[in-house]
Structures are given as structure tokens and as C-alpha cells.
Amino acid sequence: MIVVMSRNATKQEIDNVENKLQELGFKTHPIFGEVKTVIGAIGDKRILNTVNITTMPGVESLVPIMKPYKLSGRELKQTPSVIDIGGITVGSRELAVIAGPCAIESEESFIETALKVKEAGASILRGGAFKPRSSPYSFQGLQEDGLKIMAKAREITGMKIVTEVVDTRDVELVASYADVIQIGARNMQNFRLLHEVGLTSKPILLKRGLAATIEEWLMAAEYIMDAGNENIILCERGIRTYETSTRNTIDISAIPVVKELSHLPIIVDPSHAAGNWKYVGALSKAAIAAGADGLIIEVHIDPPNALSDGPQSLRPSKFKQLMEEFQLVASAVGRSVR
Ligand code: PEP
Ligand code: MN
């Protein structure tokens, strides 16, 4: 339910309504707009049949929230959210380009990659320390040692870092190192994990599940928001279809659909969508043209010898060349890369 306060409602009146709603067992989410304040009230709306909130001073009207994703949807919050990562924004005019290897493999290679993607214009560094691999025999990541390398790379390059957490038991550890915590496609509906990262104050990069509908994806965001963390960046990374010539099928329509349904920013991962570095440029440009707020791209200094996802990783020189091409597409749609 949305309680719309009148234009001239006082701070005291807003507080009184919020307190009353909390007393009735609702979770409240006030949004202070330029003209009006609205209070999102999440809870059992049948209670409102017994109490008349509309007669409270300062209240203009009560509007139901029709969609199941109450906090991530546009009904409660109409203005787009801009996520701040220590001064780098996602959801503003400027596109955020996140780049780096699939996994952190060694200190030397990670720092070399970091310096190269920074020079090419990437604003955030990526690198997995805990890797969700399809085979238990594949490289699983350097785990805490990887996080330490990540911290060192941040110190040297000044770049903010995004890394994945795959287990509730590691959330605190990962949050103590990362600037942005990634929830991977395979864990999009790991509700305990979503709740746990929702208790942290770090921005969350929430990837779309392998076969998740947009509604299921927004409901996953809802779990994180319900736990108290509203700093979410959605990431389209390709979905499972019958097509086998690419690793996944990029869902470009997800960009305008998410923009209509949600206030959260959305970025695109063309690397995991394509599974082949040759298609990364084209998919990235399509994503920018369709209104994505950024990209997350795998870059490796020696793709043939990468411990994971080599075939889809760009060499730093190719990434640099593409960054210049991205700038052209971005300016055609009123955005910029840097
Ligand atoms: C990744 O970003 O390295 C990754 C595992 O991605 P996804 O969860 O989208 O497969
Ligand atoms: Mn990968």
C-alpha cells in the first residue's frame, strides 16, 4: 500500500503516519519527493480495513501496490535509482563499465589486468574469488587469498571492486573486502543468500538466473530490499534458450522491460551471454543502444591459458579498442562512457 501525503503535510504529520503504520505491523519506506512524500507500507493490508489511515492529518490518499515486487517496482518509487559506489554511479548519464578476469588467478596477473582495464577506461574492476563452477573438478577460485589480492589491486589502482559470494557463510568475509557484492545467476533464487546480502550495506550486483523470468528476477531483488539493502544493480547475462551457437541468449528486451517495471539500474554482461569474445563488442553496443546503464566484461591478459571462461574473455588491447567504439554508441543515445 502507498500512503500519499498531501503537498503541505508537515514533518510531524509524516512521522505520525509512519509510526502508526509501524504500530500496525507494517514495514515502512518513506520516499521524500520534490513535491510530495509517499510512504510505502508493506504488510497485511487487511489491517487497514480496521483503521482509517486516510483521516489522519496530512494524508491525501491510499493507493494499492498491484505488483508483487513492492519495493523494486515503479509504483512506489517512480524516479530511477542511482547507485553510488564510492563516487562512481550506476544509473546516471554516465555508463559504468566493469571489467576484469572471470577469476582472480594470481596477484601478478590480476594487478596487470587491473592496470590495463583502468587505462582503457573501465570504472570498476571485476574478479571472482569464489567461483560457482559447473564441475567440482574445475578451478573453484582462490577464495580468501583471492580477496586479499583484490584488496591489493584496489590499493594500487584506486579502482572499486566487484566480486561474487556463493555461500551465506562467506557473506561477512566477502563484504569486508568487496565494494560491490555479486550474486551470480546460479544463486538468483538462493533466498537465504539474498536475505543475507540484504543485511549488508554494500551495493549488490544481482545477475538474472539462467532461466528466470523478469518477474522472478525482480522478486529476487525484493528479497534483498526487504532485508534492508536498497542498493541493487540488476544484470542481464543471457538466458537459456534452444540456441546453441552462443553460450546463452542475450535478452535485449529485458532492458526496456526492466526500465518500465523497476526503478533499479540494469547493466549487461555480454561475455557470459555470448560465451565467445568475438560477439562481445556487438552485444555491448546493442545493450548501450537499448538503454543499459553499464556493462560487465571479462578481460584476460592470456585468454587461451585462463583458468575459467577464456573463450569469452577479451584481450586488454581489444577491450581498449571497443571502449572507444562504445563511446560513439553511447553519445548517440545521450549517454557517455566516461
Ligand atoms: C561470473 O560473473 O563470473 C559468473 C559466474 O557469471 P554468471 O553468474 O552470470 O554465470
Ligand atoms: Mn566468468
Side-chain angles (χ1 to χ4, degrees):
M1 195 64 77
I2 302 170
V3 181
V4 183
M5 301 301 295
S6 63
R7 212 174 255 266
N8 43 21
T10 63
K11 167 91 178 62
Q12 189 59 55
E13 287 168 344
I14 295 168
D15 287 349
N16 290 346
V17 172
E18 199 180 353
N19 291 339
K20 183 74 192 169
L21 289 165
Q22 285 174 359
E23 224 173 80
L24 294 168
F26 287 91
K27 275 193 183 172
T28 56
H29 299 265
I31 295 175
F32 303 97
E34 265 174 36
V35 183
K36 280 181 190 173
T37 294
V38 299
I39 305 171
I42 313 296
D44 184 355
K45 61 177 184 261
R46 286 170 304 184
I47 293 171
L48 294 177
N49 295 335
T50 57
V51 190
N52 201 346
I53 297 283
T54 40
T55 54
M56 287 187 75
V59 173
E60 186 179 284
S61 59
L62 276 190
V63 182
I65 304 176
M66 306 309 284
K67 296 282 202 288
Y69 36 89
K70 312 283 177 201
L71 302 175
S72 53
R74 283 259 187 191
E75 287 168 281
L76 175 60
K77 183 171 186 283
Q78 275 134 29
T79 54
S81 289
V82 176
I83 310 302
D84 185 90
I85 305 161
I88 293 160
T89 53
V90 185
S92 63
R93 186 181 175 278
E94 199 163 302
L95 301 176
V97 180
I98 305 169
C102 180
I104 299 166
E105 298 176 3
S106 71
E107 182 173 320
E108 200 189 358
S109 65
F110 191 61
I111 291 171
E112 185 181 340
T113 316
L115 291 167
K116 289 197 164 138
V117 297
K118 184 183 179 185
E119 196 229 309
S123 46
I124 301 172
L125 186 60
R126 65 152 287 152
F130 292 92
K131 294 304 302 175
R133 304 306 301 279
S134 301
S135 164
Y137 311 119
S138 301
F139 175 59
Q140 302 288 313
L142 297 179
Q143 314 205 348
E144 189 166 2
D145 287 342
L147 297 175
K148 289 184 179 147
I149 293 172
M150 208 178 78
K152 192 146 188 206
R154 172 173 44 219
E155 217 175 279
I156 293 172
T157 62
M159 292 178 88
K160 302 291 175 199
I161 305 194
V162 50
T163 198
E164 179 167 354
V165 67
V166 296
D167 192 308
T168 48
R169 291 168 293 187
D170 300 320
V171 169
E172 212 177 306
L173 175 74
V174 172
S176 71
Y177 285 95
D179 299 295
V180 179
I181 302 173
Q182 176 173 321
I183 296 290
R186 288 155 194 80
N187 274 314
M188 191 207 81
Q189 282 190 319
N190 182 339
F191 300 118
R192 285 284 304 275
L193 186 59
L194 297 174
H195 179 79
E196 214 58 37
V197 297
L199 298 175
T200 75
S201 56
K202 295 287 163 93
I204 309 298
L205 180 66
L206 177 62
K207 291 195 145 194
R208 182 178 182 180
L210 307 170
T213 64
I214 291 172
E215 181 162 316
E216 286 163 344
W217 188 14
L218 294 177
M219 290 311 289
E222 200 70 16
Y223 265 90
I224 301 171
M225 296 181 88
D226 177 58
N229 188 344
E230 311 215 328
N231 296 311
I232 301 170
I233 303 158
L234 299 167
C235 177
E236 161 63 37
R237 45 79 72 204
I239 49 173
R240 272 283 165 94
T241 68
Y242 51 79
E243 183 52 68
T244 54
S245 52
T246 49
R247 185 176 179 184
N248 292 289
T249 300
I250 193 167
D251 181 9
I252 287 291
S253 350
I255 302 163
V257 172
V258 161
K259 291 261 167 225
E260 183 180 351
L261 300 179
S262 174
H263 54 85
L264 296 172
I266 174 172
I267 68 167
V268 169
D269 176 345
S271 309
H272 290 87
N276 184 332
W277 67 270
K278 287 185 193 146
Y279 310 139
V280 167
L283 301 190
S284 301
K285 289 174 203 168
I288 298 170
D293 296 302
L295 299 165
I296 177 165
I297 298 178
E298 286 187 341
V299 178
H300 197 283
I301 48 170
D302 183 15
N305 290 306
L307 296 180
S308 64
D309 287 350
Q312 69 195 33
S313 299
L314 295 174
R315 291 180 190 276
S317 54
K318 182 72 186 167
F319 173 66
K320 188 168 183 209
Q321 176 208 325
L322 285 175
M323 283 294 276
E324 280 158 29
E325 297 175 23
F326 296 165
Q327 182 63 60
L328 296 173
V329 183
S331 58
V333 292
R335 310 287 286 265
S336 68
V337 172
R338 282 227 100 187

Coordinates of all heavy atoms in Angstrom, one line a residue, residues 59-141:
V59 N -2.8 13.2 5.4 CA -2.9 12.1 4.4 C -3.8 12.5 3.3 O -4.9 13.0 3.5 CB -3.4 10.8 5.1 CG1 -3.7 9.7 4.0 CG2 -2.4 10.3 6.1
E60 N -3.3 12.3 2.0 CA -4.2 12.6 0.9 C -5.0 11.4 0.4 O -6.2 11.4 0.2 CB -3.3 13.1 -0.2 CG -4.0 13.6 -1.5 CD -3.1 14.1 -2.5 OE1 -2.5 15.2 -2.3 OE2 -2.8 13.4 -3.5
S61 N -4.2 10.3 0.2 CA -4.9 9.1 -0.3 C -4.1 7.8 0.0 O -3.0 7.9 0.3 CB -5.2 9.2 -1.8 OG -4.0 9.4 -2.5
L62 N -4.8 6.7 -0.2 CA -4.2 5.4 -0.1 C -4.3 4.7 -1.5 O -5.3 4.7 -2.1 CB -5.0 4.5 0.9 CG -4.7 4.6 2.3 CD1 -5.4 3.5 3.1 CD2 -3.2 4.5 2.6
V63 N -3.1 4.2 -2.0 CA -3.1 3.6 -3.3 C -2.5 2.2 -3.1 O -1.4 2.1 -2.6 CB -2.2 4.4 -4.3 CG1 -2.2 3.8 -5.7 CG2 -2.6 5.9 -4.3
P64 N -3.2 1.2 -3.6 CA -2.6 -0.2 -3.5 C -1.5 -0.4 -4.5 O -1.4 0.3 -5.5 CB -3.8 -1.1 -3.9 CG -4.7 -0.2 -4.7 CD -4.5 1.2 -4.3
I65 N -0.5 -1.2 -4.1 CA 0.6 -1.6 -5.0 C 0.2 -2.9 -5.6 O 0.0 -3.9 -4.9 CB 1.9 -1.7 -4.2 CG1 2.3 -0.5 -3.5 CG2 3.1 -2.1 -5.2 CD1 3.6 -0.6 -2.6
M66 N 0.0 -2.9 -6.9 CA -0.6 -4.0 -7.6 C 0.4 -5.1 -7.9 O 0.1 -6.3 -7.8 CB -1.2 -3.6 -9.0 CG -2.3 -2.5 -8.9 SD -3.5 -2.8 -7.6 CE -4.6 -4.0 -8.5
K67 N 1.7 -4.7 -8.1 CA 2.7 -5.7 -8.5 C 3.2 -6.4 -7.2 O 3.3 -5.8 -6.1 CB 3.8 -5.0 -9.2 CG 3.5 -4.4 -10.5 CD 3.4 -5.4 -11.6 CE 3.5 -4.9 -13.0 NZ 2.4 -4.2 -13.5
P68 N 3.7 -7.7 -7.4 CA 4.2 -8.4 -6.2 C 5.6 -7.8 -5.7 O 6.0 -8.0 -4.6 CB 4.4 -9.8 -6.7 CG 4.5 -9.8 -8.2 CD 3.7 -8.6 -8.6
Y69 N 6.3 -7.2 -6.7 CA 7.6 -6.6 -6.3 C 7.3 -5.2 -5.9 O 7.2 -4.2 -6.6 CB 8.6 -6.7 -7.4 CG 8.1 -6.5 -8.8 CD1 7.9 -5.3 -9.4 CD2 7.6 -7.6 -9.5 CE1 7.4 -5.1 -10.6 CE2 7.1 -7.5 -10.8 CZ 7.0 -6.2 -11.3 OH 6.4 -6.1 -12.6
K70 N 7.1 -5.0 -4.5 CA 6.6 -3.8 -4.0 C 7.7 -2.7 -4.0 O 7.4 -1.5 -4.3 CB 6.1 -4.0 -2.6 CG 5.2 -5.2 -2.4 CD 3.8 -4.9 -2.9 CE 2.9 -6.1 -2.8 NZ 1.7 -6.0 -3.7
L71 N 8.9 -3.1 -3.5 CA 10.0 -2.1 -3.3 C 10.8 -1.9 -4.5 O 11.3 -0.8 -4.8 CB 10.9 -2.6 -2.2 CG 10.2 -2.8 -0.8 CD1 11.1 -3.4 0.2 CD2 9.6 -1.5 -0.3
S72 N 11.0 -2.9 -5.4 CA 11.8 -2.7 -6.6 C 11.0 -2.2 -7.7 O 11.6 -1.8 -8.7 CB 12.5 -4.1 -7.0 OG 11.5 -5.1 -7.1
G73 N 9.7 -2.2 -7.6 CA 8.8 -1.7 -8.7 C 8.7 -0.2 -8.8 O 9.1 0.5 -7.9
R74 N 8.1 0.2 -9.9 CA 7.9 1.7 -10.1 C 6.7 2.3 -9.5 O 6.5 3.5 -9.5 CB 7.8 1.9 -11.6 CG 9.0 1.8 -12.4 CD 9.6 3.2 -12.7 NE 10.7 3.1 -13.6 CZ 11.6 4.0 -14.0 NH1 11.4 5.2 -13.5 NH2 12.6 3.8 -14.8
E75 N 5.8 1.4 -8.9 CA 4.6 2.0 -8.4 C 4.9 2.9 -7.2 O 4.5 4.0 -7.0 CB 3.6 0.9 -8.0 CG 3.0 0.3 -9.2 CD 2.2 -1.0 -8.8 OE1 2.9 -2.0 -8.6 OE2 1.0 -0.9 -8.6
L76 N 5.8 2.3 -6.3 CA 6.1 3.1 -5.1 C 7.2 4.2 -5.4 O 7.0 5.3 -4.9 CB 6.7 2.1 -4.0 CG 7.2 2.8 -2.7 CD1 6.1 3.5 -2.0 CD2 7.8 1.7 -1.8
K77 N 8.2 3.8 -6.1 CA 9.3 4.8 -6.4 C 9.3 5.0 -7.9 O 9.7 4.1 -8.7 CB 10.6 4.3 -5.9 CG 11.7 5.3 -6.1 CD 13.0 4.9 -5.3 CE 14.1 5.9 -5.4 NZ 14.8 6.0 -6.7
Q78 N 8.9 6.2 -8.4 CA 8.9 6.4 -9.8 C 10.2 6.9 -10.4 O 10.5 6.6 -11.6 CB 7.8 7.5 -10.1 CG 6.4 6.8 -10.3 CD 5.4 7.6 -9.5 OE1 5.4 8.8 -9.3 NE2 4.4 6.8 -9.0
T79 N 11.0 7.6 -9.6 CA 12.3 8.1 -10.2 C 13.4 7.0 -10.2 O 13.5 6.2 -9.3 CB 12.8 9.3 -9.3 OG1 12.9 8.8 -8.0 CG2 11.9 10.5 -9.4
P80 N 14.2 6.9 -11.3 CA 15.2 5.9 -11.4 C 16.2 6.0 -10.2 O 16.5 7.1 -9.8 CB 15.9 6.2 -12.7 CG 15.0 7.2 -13.4 CD 14.2 7.9 -12.4
S81 N 16.6 4.9 -9.7 CA 17.6 4.9 -8.6 C 19.0 5.0 -9.2 O 19.3 4.3 -10.2 CB 17.5 3.6 -7.8 OG 16.3 3.6 -7.1
V82 N 19.8 5.7 -8.6 CA 21.2 5.8 -9.0 C 22.1 5.2 -7.8 O 21.9 5.6 -6.7 CB 21.7 7.3 -9.2 CG1 23.1 7.4 -9.6 CG2 20.8 7.9 -10.4
I83 N 22.8 4.2 -8.1 CA 23.6 3.5 -7.1 C 25.0 4.1 -7.1 O 25.7 4.2 -8.1 CB 23.7 2.0 -7.4 CG1 22.3 1.4 -7.6 CG2 24.4 1.3 -6.2 CD1 21.2 1.6 -6.5
D84 N 25.4 4.5 -5.9 CA 26.7 5.1 -5.7 C 27.7 4.1 -5.1 O 27.5 3.5 -4.1 CB 26.6 6.3 -4.7 CG 27.8 7.1 -4.6 OD1 28.0 8.0 -5.4 OD2 28.7 6.8 -3.8
I85 N 28.8 4.0 -5.9 CA 29.9 3.0 -5.4 C 31.1 3.9 -5.2 O 31.9 4.1 -6.1 CB 30.2 2.0 -6.5 CG1 28.8 1.2 -6.9 CG2 31.2 1.0 -6.0 CD1 28.9 0.5 -8.2
G86 N 31.2 4.5 -4.0 CA 32.3 5.4 -3.7 C 32.6 6.4 -4.7 O 33.7 6.6 -5.1
G87 N 31.5 7.1 -5.2 CA 31.7 8.2 -6.1 C 31.5 7.8 -7.6 O 31.3 8.6 -8.5
I88 N 31.4 6.5 -7.9 CA 31.1 6.0 -9.2 C 29.6 5.6 -9.2 O 29.2 4.9 -8.3 CB 32.0 4.8 -9.6 CG1 33.4 5.2 -9.7 CG2 31.5 4.2 -10.9 CD1 34.4 4.1 -9.6
T89 N 28.9 6.2 -10.2 CA 27.5 6.0 -10.2 C 27.0 5.0 -11.2 O 27.6 4.9 -12.3 CB 26.7 7.3 -10.4 OG1 27.2 7.9 -11.6 CG2 26.9 8.2 -9.2
V90 N 26.0 4.2 -10.9 CA 25.4 3.3 -11.9 C 23.9 3.7 -12.0 O 23.2 3.7 -10.9 CB 25.5 1.8 -11.5 CG1 24.9 0.9 -12.6 CG2 26.9 1.5 -11.2
G91 N 23.5 4.1 -13.2 CA 22.1 4.6 -13.3 C 22.1 6.1 -13.7 O 21.0 6.7 -13.8
S92 N 23.3 6.7 -13.8 CA 23.3 8.1 -14.2 C 23.5 8.2 -15.7 O 23.6 7.2 -16.4 CB 24.4 8.8 -13.4 OG 25.7 8.3 -13.8
R93 N 23.8 9.4 -16.2 CA 24.0 9.5 -17.6 C 25.3 8.8 -18.1 O 25.3 8.2 -19.2 CB 24.1 11.0 -17.9 CG 24.2 11.4 -19.4 CD 24.4 12.8 -19.6 NE 24.6 13.1 -21.1 CZ 25.8 12.9 -21.6 NH1 26.9 12.6 -21.0 NH2 25.9 13.1 -22.9
E94 N 26.2 8.7 -17.2 CA 27.5 8.1 -17.5 C 27.4 6.6 -17.3 O 26.9 6.1 -16.2 CB 28.5 8.6 -16.5 CG 29.9 8.4 -17.0 CD 30.9 9.3 -16.2 OE1 30.7 10.6 -16.3 OE2 31.8 8.8 -15.6
L95 N 27.8 5.8 -18.3 CA 27.7 4.4 -18.2 C 28.8 3.8 -17.3 O 29.9 4.3 -17.4 CB 27.8 3.7 -19.6 CG 26.7 4.2 -20.6 CD1 27.0 3.6 -22.0 CD2 25.3 3.8 -20.1
A96 N 28.5 2.8 -16.6 CA 29.6 2.2 -15.7 C 30.1 1.0 -16.5 O 29.3 0.1 -16.9 CB 29.0 1.8 -14.4
V97 N 31.4 0.9 -16.7 CA 31.9 -0.3 -17.4 C 32.8 -1.0 -16.4 O 33.8 -0.5 -15.8 CB 32.7 0.1 -18.7 CG1 33.3 -1.2 -19.3 CG2 31.9 0.8 -19.7
I98 N 32.4 -2.2 -16.1 CA 33.1 -3.1 -15.1 C 33.9 -4.1 -16.0 O 33.3 -4.7 -16.9 CB 32.1 -3.8 -14.2 CG1 31.2 -2.8 -13.5 CG2 32.8 -4.7 -13.2 CD1 30.0 -3.5 -12.8
A99 N 35.2 -4.3 -15.7 CA 36.0 -5.2 -16.5 C 37.0 -5.9 -15.6 O 37.4 -5.4 -14.6 CB 36.6 -4.4 -17.6
G100 N 37.4 -7.1 -16.1 CA 38.4 -7.8 -15.4 C 38.3 -9.3 -15.7 O 37.4 -9.7 -16.4
P101 N 39.1 -10.1 -15.1 CA 39.0 -11.5 -15.4 C 37.9 -12.2 -14.7 O 37.3 -11.7 -13.8 CB 40.4 -12.1 -14.8 CG 40.7 -11.2 -13.7 CD 40.2 -9.8 -14.1
C102 N 37.5 -13.4 -15.3 CA 36.4 -14.2 -14.7 C 36.8 -14.5 -13.2 O 36.1 -14.2 -12.3 CB 36.3 -15.5 -15.4 SG 35.0 -16.5 -14.8
A103 N 38.1 -15.0 -13.0 CA 38.5 -15.3 -11.7 C 39.9 -14.7 -11.4 O 40.6 -14.4 -12.3 CB 38.7 -16.9 -11.6
I104 N 40.1 -14.4 -10.1 CA 41.4 -13.9 -9.7 C 42.3 -15.1 -9.7 O 42.0 -16.1 -9.0 CB 41.3 -13.2 -8.3 CG1 40.4 -12.0 -8.4 CG2 42.7 -12.8 -7.9 CD1 40.0 -11.5 -7.0
E105 N 43.4 -15.1 -10.5 CA 44.2 -16.3 -10.6 C 45.5 -16.2 -9.9 O 46.1 -17.1 -9.4 CB 44.5 -16.6 -12.1 CG 43.2 -16.9 -12.9 CD 43.4 -17.1 -14.4 OE1 44.5 -17.1 -14.8 OE2 42.4 -17.3 -15.1
S106 N 46.1 -15.0 -9.9 CA 47.3 -14.7 -9.2 C 47.4 -13.2 -9.0 O 46.8 -12.4 -9.7 CB 48.6 -15.2 -10.0 OG 48.8 -14.3 -11.1
E107 N 48.3 -12.8 -8.0 CA 48.4 -11.4 -7.7 C 49.0 -10.6 -9.0 O 48.4 -9.6 -9.4 CB 49.4 -11.2 -6.6 CG 49.5 -9.7 -6.2 CD 50.3 -9.6 -4.9 OE1 50.1 -10.4 -3.9 OE2 51.2 -8.6 -4.9
E108 N 50.0 -11.2 -9.6 CA 50.6 -10.6 -10.7 C 49.7 -10.4 -11.9 O 49.6 -9.3 -12.4 CB 51.8 -11.5 -11.1 CG 52.8 -10.8 -11.9 CD 53.8 -11.8 -12.5 OE1 53.7 -13.0 -12.2 OE2 54.7 -11.3 -13.2
S109 N 49.0 -11.4 -12.3 CA 48.1 -11.3 -13.4 C 46.9 -10.4 -13.1 O 46.4 -9.6 -14.0 CB 47.6 -12.7 -13.9 OG 46.8 -13.3 -12.9
F110 N 46.4 -10.4 -11.9 CA 45.2 -9.6 -11.6 C 45.6 -8.1 -11.6 O 44.9 -7.3 -12.2 CB 44.6 -10.0 -10.2 CG 43.3 -9.4 -10.0 CD1 42.2 -9.7 -10.8 CD2 43.1 -8.5 -8.9 CE1 40.9 -9.1 -10.6 CE2 41.8 -7.9 -8.7 CZ 40.8 -8.2 -9.5
I111 N 46.7 -7.8 -11.0 CA 47.1 -6.4 -11.0 C 47.5 -5.9 -12.4 O 47.1 -4.8 -12.8 CB 48.3 -6.2 -9.9 CG1 47.6 -6.4 -8.6 CG2 48.9 -4.8 -10.1 CD1 48.6 -6.4 -7.4
E112 N 48.1 -6.7 -13.2 CA 48.4 -6.3 -14.6 C 47.1 -6.1 -15.3 O 47.0 -5.1 -16.0 CB 49.2 -7.4 -15.3 CG 49.6 -7.0 -16.7 CD 50.4 -8.1 -17.4 OE1 51.0 -9.0 -16.7 OE2 50.5 -8.0 -18.6
T113 N 46.1 -7.0 -15.2 CA 44.8 -6.8 -15.8 C 44.1 -5.5 -15.3 O 43.6 -4.7 -16.1 CB 43.9 -8.0 -15.6 OG1 44.6 -9.2 -15.7 CG2 42.7 -8.0 -16.5
A114 N 44.2 -5.3 -14.0 CA 43.6 -4.1 -13.4 C 44.1 -2.9 -14.0 O 43.4 -2.0 -14.4 CB 43.8 -4.2 -11.9
L115 N 45.4 -2.8 -14.1 CA 46.1 -1.6 -14.7 C 45.7 -1.4 -16.1 O 45.4 -0.2 -16.6 CB 47.6 -1.6 -14.5 CG 48.1 -1.5 -13.1 CD1 49.6 -1.9 -13.0 CD2 47.9 -0.1 -12.5
K116 N 45.5 -2.5 -16.9 CA 45.2 -2.3 -18.3 C 43.7 -1.9 -18.5 O 43.4 -1.1 -19.4 CB 45.5 -3.6 -19.0 CG 47.0 -3.8 -19.1 CD 47.4 -4.8 -20.1 CE 48.9 -4.6 -20.5 NZ 49.6 -5.9 -20.6
V117 N 42.8 -2.5 -17.7 CA 41.4 -2.1 -17.9 C 41.2 -0.7 -17.4 O 40.3 0.0 -18.0 CB 40.4 -3.1 -17.3 CG1 40.5 -4.5 -18.0 CG2 40.5 -3.2 -15.8
K118 N 41.9 -0.3 -16.4 CA 41.8 1.1 -15.9 C 42.2 2.0 -17.0 O 41.6 3.0 -17.3 CB 42.6 1.2 -14.7 CG 42.4 2.6 -14.1 CD 43.3 2.9 -12.9 CE 43.0 4.3 -12.4 NZ 43.9 4.7 -11.3
E119 N 43.4 1.7 -17.6 CA 43.9 2.6 -18.7 C 42.9 2.7 -19.9 O 42.8 3.7 -20.5 CB 45.2 2.0 -19.1 CG 46.1 3.0 -19.9 CD 46.6 2.4 -21.2 OE1 47.2 1.3 -21.1 OE2 46.4 3.0 -22.3
A120 N 42.2 1.6 -20.1 CA 41.3 1.6 -21.2 C 40.0 2.3 -20.9 O 39.1 2.6 -21.7 CB 40.9 0.1 -21.6
G121 N 39.8 2.7 -19.6 CA 38.6 3.5 -19.2 C 37.6 2.8 -18.4 O 36.5 3.3 -18.1
A122 N 37.9 1.5 -17.9 CA 36.9 0.8 -17.1 C 36.8 1.6 -15.8 O 37.8 2.1 -15.3 CB 37.3 -0.6 -16.8
S123 N 35.6 1.6 -15.2 CA 35.5 2.4 -13.9 C 35.5 1.4 -12.7 O 35.8 1.9 -11.6 CB 34.2 3.2 -13.9 OG 33.1 2.5 -14.4
I124 N 35.2 0.2 -12.9 CA 35.2 -0.8 -11.8 C 35.9 -2.1 -12.2 O 35.8 -2.4 -13.4 CB 33.8 -1.1 -11.3 CG1 33.1 0.2 -10.9 CG2 33.7 -2.1 -10.2 CD1 31.6 0.1 -10.6
L125 N 36.5 -2.7 -11.3 CA 37.3 -4.0 -11.6 C 36.4 -5.2 -11.1 O 35.8 -5.2 -10.1 CB 38.6 -3.9 -10.8 CG 39.6 -5.0 -11.0 CD1 40.1 -5.0 -12.4 CD2 40.8 -4.6 -10.1
R126 N 36.4 -6.2 -12.0 CA 35.7 -7.5 -11.5 C 36.8 -8.6 -11.4 O 37.9 -8.5 -11.9 CB 34.7 -7.9 -12.5 CG 35.2 -8.3 -13.9 CD 34.2 -9.4 -14.6 NE 34.4 -10.7 -13.9 CZ 33.4 -11.6 -13.8 NH1 32.3 -11.4 -14.4 NH2 33.7 -12.7 -13.2
G127 N 36.4 -9.6 -10.6 CA 37.3 -10.7 -10.4 C 36.6 -11.7 -9.3 O 36.3 -11.2 -8.3
G128 N 36.5 -12.9 -9.7 CA 35.9 -13.9 -8.8 C 36.9 -14.5 -7.9 O 38.0 -14.9 -8.3
A129 N 36.6 -14.6 -6.6 CA 37.5 -15.3 -5.6 C 36.8 -16.6 -5.2 O 37.4 -17.6 -5.0 CB 37.7 -14.5 -4.4
F130 N 35.4 -16.6 -5.2 CA 34.6 -17.8 -5.0 C 33.9 -18.1 -6.3 O 33.0 -17.3 -6.7 CB 33.6 -17.6 -3.9 CG 34.2 -17.5 -2.5 CD1 34.6 -16.2 -2.0 CD2 34.5 -18.6 -1.7 CE1 35.2 -16.1 -0.8 CE2 35.1 -18.4 -0.5 CZ 35.4 -17.2 0.0
K131 N 34.3 -19.1 -7.0 CA 33.7 -19.4 -8.4 C 32.6 -20.5 -8.3 O 32.9 -21.6 -7.9 CB 34.8 -19.8 -9.3 CG 35.8 -18.7 -9.7 CD 35.2 -17.4 -10.2 CE 34.4 -17.6 -11.4 NZ 33.7 -16.3 -11.8
P132 N 31.4 -20.2 -8.8 CA 30.4 -21.2 -8.9 C 30.6 -22.0 -10.2 O 30.1 -21.7 -11.2 CB 29.1 -20.4 -9.0 CG 29.5 -19.1 -9.6 CD 31.0 -18.9 -9.4
R133 N 31.3 -23.1 -10.2 CA 31.7 -23.9 -11.4 C 30.7 -25.0 -11.6 O 30.3 -25.7 -10.7 CB 33.1 -24.4 -11.3 CG 34.2 -23.3 -11.1 CD 34.1 -22.2 -12.1 NE 34.3 -22.6 -13.4 CZ 35.5 -22.8 -14.0 NH1 36.6 -22.7 -13.3 NH2 35.6 -23.2 -15.3
S134 N 30.4 -25.3 -12.9 CA 29.5 -26.4 -13.2 C 30.1 -27.7 -12.8 O 29.4 -28.7 -12.5 CB 29.2 -26.4 -14.7 OG 28.7 -25.2 -15.1
S135 N 31.5 -27.8 -12.8 CA 32.1 -29.1 -12.4 C 32.9 -28.9 -11.1 O 33.6 -27.9 -11.0 CB 33.1 -29.5 -13.5 OG 34.0 -30.5 -13.0
P136 N 32.8 -29.9 -10.2 CA 33.5 -29.8 -8.9 C 35.0 -29.9 -9.2 O 35.8 -29.6 -8.3 CB 32.9 -30.9 -8.1 CG 32.4 -31.9 -9.1 CD 31.9 -31.1 -10.2
Y137 N 35.4 -30.4 -10.4 CA 36.8 -30.6 -10.6 C 37.5 -29.4 -11.3 O 38.7 -29.3 -11.5 CB 37.0 -31.8 -11.6 CG 36.2 -33.0 -11.1 CD1 35.2 -33.6 -11.8 CD2 36.4 -33.5 -9.8 CE1 34.5 -34.6 -11.3 CE2 35.7 -34.5 -9.2 CZ 34.7 -35.1 -10.0 OH 34.0 -36.1 -9.5
S138 N 36.6 -28.3 -11.6 CA 37.2 -27.1 -12.2 C 37.7 -26.2 -11.1 O 37.3 -26.3 -9.9 CB 36.1 -26.4 -13.0 OG 35.6 -27.2 -14.0
F139 N 38.6 -25.3 -11.5 CA 39.1 -24.3 -10.5 C 38.0 -23.6 -9.8 O 37.1 -23.0 -10.4 CB 40.0 -23.3 -11.4 CG 40.5 -22.1 -10.6 CD1 41.4 -22.3 -9.5 CD2 40.2 -20.8 -11.0 CE1 41.9 -21.3 -8.8 CE2 40.8 -19.8 -10.3 CZ 41.6 -20.0 -9.2
Q140 N 38.1 -23.6 -8.5 CA 37.0 -23.0 -7.6 C 37.3 -21.6 -7.1 O 36.4 -21.0 -6.4 CB 36.7 -24.0 -6.4 CG 36.4 -25.4 -6.8 CD 35.0 -25.5 -7.4 OE1 34.0 -25.0 -6.9 NE2 34.9 -26.3 -8.5
G141 N 38.4 -21.1 -7.5 CA 38.8 -19.7 -7.1 C 39.7 -19.8 -5.9 O 39.8 -20.8 -5.2

